[in-house]
Amino acid sequence: MAHSLKSCLILFGAPGSGKGTQAKLLKQSLGWVHISTGDMLREHVAKKTAVGVQIAEMMKCGTLVPDEMVNGMVEDRISRPDCANGFILDGYPRTVPQAELVRGMLNRKGFHPVVTHLKVDYNIIVARLASRRLCSQCGQLYSVASNAPIVTEHCDYCGGQLISREDDKPETIWKRLNAFDAQTYPVLNYFETVGLHVHDLDGSAGSPATIAQRIEAFLDE
Ligand code: AMP
């Protein structure tokens, strides 16, 4: 399927709405770069960089890290040559100041953002996140409830040990959902105010592949 060279996709949605799963599927079908601020920040924590040491506790508790820490990372990443054909923003922007900044950044670089809002009931999200596992080696996502690995606790692709994210504990999940309501949801209003259409999608209706097809259809509009 042919897509405009200068489009990019913003996957908007609460934690556990399926942004990561969709980004991984769409990255393959579109050949675009997947930019997950959560993954970038977790890498800093794992490598114990100066930034990582500062943000480790915030991430563990499910609070957002300061805008200036993420903004620079995203700006650097989308300036790399591999993003020239398109990229998928997963988990960014997450505050109105981030949204203002990325809008300017995309304008300057000549990218038209297509925004998709994956809407999922919070009770479904809590159940999803509690059963989420990821491969400690390759990052492949699993659900012990609906998409279990063939060999218990091991990745189907690389055999790596499956782990739960530290911030997927039930009490932290609600903190993250509250942060979404308070700090991230207003981004939708901002998009509307600046005339950027948001494509709403039921993120719990249909298989991940079906949802990915619906998102691709938005990109073709
Ligand atoms: P995620 O993997 O997208 O669920 O993000 C995990 C955690 O990383 C969040 O709970 C925040 O602590 C932090 N984080 C990820 N993206 C952002 C962002 N755009 N702004 C601020 N904090 C973020």
Side-chain angles (χ1 to χ4, degrees):
M1 214 177 287
H3 295 290
S4 149
L5 273 183
K6 284 292 195 180
S7 285
C8 68
L9 175 67
I10 296 181
L11 287 174
F12 184 90
S17 57
K19 301 186 300 295
T21 300
Q22 287 306 315
K24 286 185 169 76
L25 288 171
L26 291 161
K27 167 192 167 154
Q28 291 194 345
S29 57
L30 300 168
W32 289 3
V33 174
H34 172 197
I35 302 175
S36 156
T37 44
D39 285 350
M40 288 164 116
L41 295 167
R42 273 185 291 279
E43 207 177 313
H44 274 278
V45 173
K47 289 185 176 160
K48 297 193 169 64
T49 64
V51 169
V53 171
Q54 281 186 65
I55 63 173
E57 201 51 36
M58 299 175 211
M59 293 198 53
K60 194 172 159 187
C61 300
T63 49
L64 295 186
V65 312
D67 290 335
E68 52 281 10
M69 286 187 174
V70 249
N71 287 339
M73 284 178 199
V74 173
E75 183 145 30
D76 282 354
R77 186 63 192 89
I78 68 176
S79 301
R80 289 201 217 150
D82 60 349
C83 285
N85 285 336
F87 51 88
I88 303 163
L89 292 175
D90 158 12
Y92 183 90
R94 239 168 162 121
T95 63
V96 171
Q98 289 179 18
E100 286 168 347
L101 190 116
V102 78
R103 189 167 160 262
M105 218 189 285
L106 296 177
N107 260 336
R108 281 194 302 280
K109 293 183 186 294
F111 279 99
H112 166 69
V114 176
V115 186
T116 301
H117 178 197
L118 287 165
K119 298 171 86 170
V120 179
D121 183 274
Y122 283 4
N123 291 316
I124 297 176
I125 285 183
V126 173
R128 265 190 193 180
L129 291 183
S131 70
R132 175 161 78 176
R133 300 289 181 277
L134 76 156
C135 175
S136 54
Q137 283 180 32
C138 72
Q140 178 66 35
L141 293 169
Y142 294 88
S143 159
V144 289
S146 59
N147 172 33
I150 298 163
V151 179
T152 312
E153 298 296 323
H154 286 89
C155 179
D156 292 348
Y157 298 94
C158 72
Q161 178 73 40
L162 301 194
I163 51 168
S164 291
R165 268 173 51 172
E166 215 168 355
D167 59 354
D168 278 347
K169 291 192 185 105
E171 63 277 17
T172 315
I173 294 171
W174 280 109
K175 267 202 194 158
R176 289 161 65 203
L177 290 172
N178 289 336
F180 176 78
D181 285 341
Q183 291 164 278
T184 308
Y185 201 81
V187 168
L188 286 178
N189 199 20
Y190 168 78
F191 284 149
E192 211 171 284
T193 313
V194 298
L196 196 52
H197 178 65
V198 175
H199 299 269
D200 284 341
L201 199 58
D202 183 343
S204 57
S207 66
T210 310
I211 293 171
Q213 277 170 8
R214 291 189 189 125
I215 296 175
E216 283 206 48
F218 295 146
L219 291 166
D220 284 331
E221 277 174 16

